[in-house]
Amino acid sequence: MEEKKLDINSIIGFLLIFGILMYMLWKNQPTPEELEAQEKAKQEQVEAESKAKTQQEAKVTTAEDFTVGTTDSLQLVKLKSKLGAFAYSAATASKEETVVESDLLALKFNNKGGYLSEVKLKKHTDFRDEPIYIIKDNNASFNINFGTTDSRILNTKDLYFQPTVTKNGNTTVVSMKLKVSEAKFLEYRYELKDGDYMMDFTIRSQGLSDVINGSQPINLDWNLKTYRHAKSISYENRYTEVVFEYEDGKDDYLGQGELSEDTAEDITYVAFKQHFFTSILLTDTPFKTGTFESRNLVKNEDVDTLYNKAFSVKLPLELTGGEINKSMDWYYGPSDFKILNKYDRNLDEIVPLGWGIFGWINKYLFIPLFAFLGDFMPYGIAIIVMTILIKLLLSFVQYKQFLSQAKMKILKPELDAIRAKHKDNKMKAQQETLALQNKAGASPMAGCLPALVQLPVFYALFQFFPSAFDLRQKSFLWVKDLSSYDTIAELPFKIPFYGDHVSLFPILASIAIFFYMRLTTGDQMASQPTQEGMPDMAKMMKYMMYFSPIMMLFFFNNYASGLSLYYFISNVISIGIILVIKNYILDEDKIHAQIQENKKKPKKESRFQQKMKEMMEQAEKQKQVQQKRKK
């Protein structure tokens, strides 16, 4: 049998065929651009398949998923495939706005979303004399995010409501319905009354138990970007914040950071507070939880800005019998303590009057007193009269303070002699100093305590004036608005921490503080016993005499002129009281004679003095023991 062999021609043929195949593969290979296009097409296919799968599980519907006002049957089928049961509302939707008014508020409701698209306070204007708008030009949104039983995720802000307006006397009712049918709907119901900034607000559903998926979260989202209303951006921003009440009466706020966030439980109200105006959402039954956020929108205070801050809150809604039924209230109006306090719902806590005793002093003393004075005199005069009354009320405290300083001044030579006698034994010198002060009825603490008594009053007033809504846009002398800074000159440049304007009341207050400190610093130094380190102390007090007025000048140049007016009048009155006490009331010869009489009388030591004496004696014994051990 003949053996089959591969000849040279066959080998060459195979090689040629292989070479041709390789050339064709090389020649027809895709370019880098083609490879990228193939990869992109493959990725798009994967994403499309994934999206289709996701939409099959839960179809997220947006505003672009339907056309407004269509009645075409084919379009209705298309809408139903995208919106499910809510295709009914989309088919008869309208982009028009519903306008209603009371004597205090002018409101517009957008049919898209069913929420307020404009809130105007009719009786107030901003620093440019333009109307106050809390909501306008899409700076706010209100949305309910929920799932449906046919696996869709819907947002009410993207859907169209049908409005109905009815009026009964001074009450206007606006009903916004997101319909599944004429008998099935989600309703926002607003009830507006004349003479009231508070509106009744109800969210309820009817016949939607088989439409809304109760196993998925139902969240209420409220967002607002606050408009600038005041001349000073930084001053207004300082009092613009989120305030909320939780856990049966507790209240808190987010603070002034660039971005502040917080959560709480059992929320009863949320306030998006601007300096002098506020938006509040209140509920009759608490929300189980709440998530809050505040973001500062002012990046450069030298640039004119439209918005101050952006606020947002997320609150869960619960179903009852498969339906939504939540009774709430909206407040759009002034951050005025008197107005908010009338509702008896703890809304007065929105006004920052200070915590603890400071808030009590403001609520029960300064606010009623200022309101009484403001009823029959201009507000600038009311500030002066109130300041005079407060200073007269505290004048006995200043008298006690100066009496103590006078006693210490008279005892100074004897105290210096004690320190010189026991210069090598500071403990012994301290014991004899306390004994002398006790016999004479003089103590450094007697001068400190009156000053401490005045601190709550000063701090309460510092909180009161920036929060006094009545001062807003009230003029006095050259001041156009006592709630903002006064301007007597505009600067062509900006001074750091001072500003680009000159305010007169801070200058007057700083001058008054300087002369007040000059009077009091001399008496304080004269009453201090001579000891090591006193030259440095005197130098420090001298520096403070100049530094404090300068700090006052810079700090208050952008503050409310009403506050600067108070400090100016307060320090002028304090200077007058000091001069009267020094020249007409305090007699150093009589005080000296009284001290000598007190020395002769047996003086019973208080428990505190006895304890201090025992501690000092114990410390002296320990020191002596340690010295013996060293020897």
Side-chain angles (χ1 to χ4, degrees):
M1 189 175 190
E2 186 177 356
E3 184 179 356
K4 294 182 178 180
K5 295 182 181 179
L6 285 175
D7 56 11
I8 188 65
N9 293 328
S10 298
I11 295 172
I12 293 173
F14 280 121
L15 290 174
L16 287 173
I17 293 171
F18 179 76
I20 292 170
L21 288 173
M22 293 300 297
Y23 173 77
M24 290 175 66
L25 289 172
W26 174 79
K27 189 69 176 176
N28 293 317
Q29 69 177 343
T31 64
E33 291 78 9
E34 291 173 333
L35 287 172
E36 184 178 353
Q38 291 175 5
E39 183 63 29
K40 185 177 180 180
K42 184 178 179 182
Q43 185 65 28
E44 288 176 351
Q45 183 179 0
V46 171
E47 289 178 356
E49 292 175 354
S50 176
K51 185 176 181 180
K53 184 178 179 181
T54 302
Q55 288 182 341
Q56 189 175 4
E57 294 174 355
K59 299 175 182 178
V60 180
T61 306
T62 65
E64 287 71 29
D65 288 330
F66 58 88
T67 304
V68 176
T70 181
T71 56
D72 182 80
S73 58
L74 292 176
Q75 186 65 29
L76 286 174
V77 173
K78 184 178 179 181
L79 286 172
K80 194 169 182 63
S81 69
K82 294 180 178 180
L83 298 173
F86 289 95
Y88 182 89
S89 65
T92 57
S94 170
K95 288 185 176 180
E96 295 180 358
E97 291 181 314
T98 301
V99 180
V100 298
E101 291 191 23
S102 70
D103 59 337
L104 300 177
L105 300 171
L107 307 176
K108 289 183 181 179
F109 298 85
N110 198 328
N111 294 349
K112 182 181 179 181
Y115 177 59
L116 287 157
S117 58
E118 188 171 291
V119 175
K120 173 185 173 183
L121 304 185
K122 297 171 68 173
K123 295 191 175 182
H124 301 283
T125 57
D126 65 11
F127 71 104
R128 298 188 183 95
D129 291 328
E130 296 177 358
I132 291 289
Y133 287 95
I134 294 181
I135 299 175
K136 188 181 180 183
D137 297 334
N138 300 315
N139 72 313
S141 68
F142 184 84
N143 177 58
I144 297 177
N145 175 271
F146 63 96
T148 63
T149 52
D150 55 354
S151 301
R152 288 178 171 82
I153 302 296
L154 297 178
N155 292 284
T156 57
K157 66 179 181 179
D158 298 327
L159 303 176
Y160 284 82
F161 290 64
Q162 293 183 10
T164 303
V165 179
T166 57
K167 194 169 180 64
N168 182 15
N170 292 330
T171 301
T172 303
V173 177
V174 179
S175 172
M176 308 293 292
K177 291 182 179 180
L178 176 61
K179 294 184 177 181
V180 169
S181 68
E182 288 303 314
K184 296 182 178 183
F185 51 81
L186 174 68
E187 180 186 25
Y188 294 167
R189 188 179 187 276
Y190 306 85
E191 188 172 325
L192 177 65
K193 307 179 189 69
D194 279 344
D196 199 347
Y197 289 103
M198 186 82 76
M199 290 186 292
D200 293 343
F201 176 58
T202 303
I203 301 176
R204 74 180 188 94
S205 65
Q206 179 176 299
L208 299 187
S209 58
D210 59 344
V211 177
I212 297 175
N213 187 349
S215 64
Q216 292 180 320
I218 304 172
N219 291 314
L220 185 157
D221 298 307
W222 178 32
N223 303 279
L224 177 71
K225 289 194 295 184
T226 60
Y227 280 114
R228 173 194 177 186
H229 299 309
K231 185 163 56 173
S232 174
I233 304 171
S234 59
Y235 188 60
E236 184 177 30
N237 242 16
R238 189 176 293 114
Y239 298 97
T240 300
E241 58 194 358
V242 177
V243 184
F244 55 92
E245 185 186 60
Y246 66 105
E247 293 180 5
D248 195 24
K250 298 179 183 177
D251 57 89
D252 204 350
Y253 57 93
L254 289 193
Q256 301 297 326
E258 287 297 313
L259 175 63
S260 302
E261 298 174 307
D262 202 356
T263 58
E265 298 180 349
D266 297 328
I267 311 299
T268 43
Y269 73 67
V270 181
F272 291 166
K273 178 188 174 296
Q274 298 165 251
H275 186 185
F276 284 123
F277 301 96
T278 187
S279 311
I280 312 172
L281 177 63
L282 306 95
T283 176
D284 297 334
T285 55
F287 294 98
K288 280 191 173 181
T289 60
T291 304
F292 314 94
E293 181 180 291
S294 171
R295 189 182 300 272
N296 187 10
L297 300 179
V298 180
K299 303 303 179 185
N300 186 353
E301 294 180 1
D302 297 332
V303 178
D304 192 22
T305 183
L306 181 63
Y307 301 110
N308 294 98
K309 291 183 179 177
F311 298 142
S312 65
V313 61
K314 183 184 291 292
L315 302 163
L317 289 174
E318 298 178 355
L319 297 179
T320 304
E323 302 286 352
I324 298 174
N325 192 357
K326 191 75 173 178
S327 296
M328 294 176 283
D329 297 282
W330 282 115
Y331 176 91
Y332 292 101
S335 301
D336 187 341
F337 176 85
K338 297 191 298 297
I339 295 175
L340 295 174
N341 193 44
K342 287 179 181 178
Y343 291 108
D344 196 25
R345 298 181 70 172
N346 205 31
L347 298 183
D348 55 285
E349 295 296 334
I350 294 171
V351 183
L353 297 175
W355 55 272
I357 187 174
F358 312 114
W360 283 83
I361 292 173
N362 276 323
K363 289 179 183 179
Y364 301 108
L365 178 59
F366 294 147
I367 289 177
L369 175 60
F370 191 71
F372 170 75
L373 296 173
D375 283 342
F376 59 89
M377 62 179 66
Y379 282 99
I381 301 298
I383 291 175
I384 295 173
V385 172
M386 188 172 80
T387 307
I388 293 172
L389 294 175
I390 292 169
K391 295 304 293 185
L392 290 176
L393 182 66
L394 295 175
S395 59
F396 80 96
V397 177
Q398 281 192 293
Y399 172 76
K400 289 289 185 180
Q401 190 173 2
F402 275 88
L403 178 61
S404 174
Q405 288 179 0
K407 288 182 178 180
M408 293 298 294
K409 182 180 178 181
I410 292 168
L411 287 177
K412 184 175 181 296
E414 296 180 60
L415 295 173
D416 289 343
I418 291 173
R419 282 175 171 77
K421 180 180 177 182
H422 301 287
K423 61 181 179 180
D424 296 327
N425 191 339
K426 292 184 179 180
M427 188 67 69
K428 186 67 174 176
Q430 188 66 25
Q431 287 177 343
E432 291 193 14
T433 296
L434 289 175
L436 176 61
Q437 290 173 348
N438 184 43
K439 285 183 180 180
S443 171
M445 289 300 294
C448 296
L449 289 176
L452 291 176
V453 171
Q454 298 179 74
L455 282 179
V457 175
F458 291 154
Y459 182 79
L461 286 167
F462 184 80
Q463 293 291 107
F464 168 78
F465 282 104
S467 302
F469 185 85
D470 289 338
L471 293 179
R472 187 176 182 273
Q473 297 183 337
K474 300 298 190 300
S475 61
F476 178 66
L477 300 177
W478 62 87
V479 178
K480 294 181 179 179
D481 185 351
L482 284 167
S483 71
S484 185
Y485 58 81
D486 65 288
T487 304
I488 58 169
E490 297 284 352
L491 300 176
F493 51 85
K494 184 174 183 179
I495 301 174
F497 305 107
Y498 184 75
D500 56 1
H501 63 277
V502 178
S503 298
L504 183 55
F505 272 133
I507 295 174
L508 296 175
S510 298
I511 294 171
I513 287 176
F514 171 77
F515 284 106
Y516 172 75
M517 294 192 70
R518 188 172 180 178
L519 279 172
T520 56
T521 300
D523 289 333
Q524 288 174 358
M525 292 302 300
S527 65
Q528 295 293 325
T530 303
Q531 56 182 334
E532 294 181 5
M534 277 305 295
D536 293 334
M537 178 65 71
K539 189 181 294 184
M540 185 181 74
M541 294 184 75
K542 187 176 180 180
Y543 285 151
M544 285 298 297
M545 185 172 64
Y546 292 98
F547 176 73
S548 294
I550 294 173
M551 184 178 69
M552 167 77 183
L553 180 64
F554 275 75
F555 186 73
F556 284 98
N557 195 59
N558 291 294
Y559 258 66
S561 53
L563 184 61
S564 302
L565 170 61
Y566 160 75
Y567 274 103
F568 167 58
I569 300 299
S570 176
N571 282 282
V572 169
I573 295 172
S574 293
I575 291 170
I577 291 174
I578 292 170
L579 293 175
V580 170
I581 291 174
K582 288 179 66 175
N583 296 322
Y584 299 102
I585 298 177
L586 288 182
D587 187 331
E588 291 191 4
D589 292 335
K590 290 183 178 180
I591 295 172
H592 185 270
Q594 184 65 44
I595 288 175
Q596 301 308 317
E597 287 294 324
N598 290 341
K599 288 181 183 179
K600 297 175 183 178
K601 298 176 183 178
K603 188 75 173 180
K604 184 179 179 181
E605 293 181 337
S606 65
R607 290 185 180 180
F608 175 76
Q609 290 171 328
Q610 292 175 355
K611 190 68 175 177
M612 286 292 295
K613 185 176 179 180
E614 291 173 2
M615 290 173 63
M616 293 171 68
E617 289 175 351
Q618 185 66 28
E620 181 65 23
K621 289 179 181 179
Q622 291 179 354
K623 184 178 179 181
Q624 292 175 359
V625 171
Q626 290 176 354
Q627 288 176 348
K628 288 180 180 179
R629 287 177 180 174
K630 288 180 180 179
K631 292 179 180 179

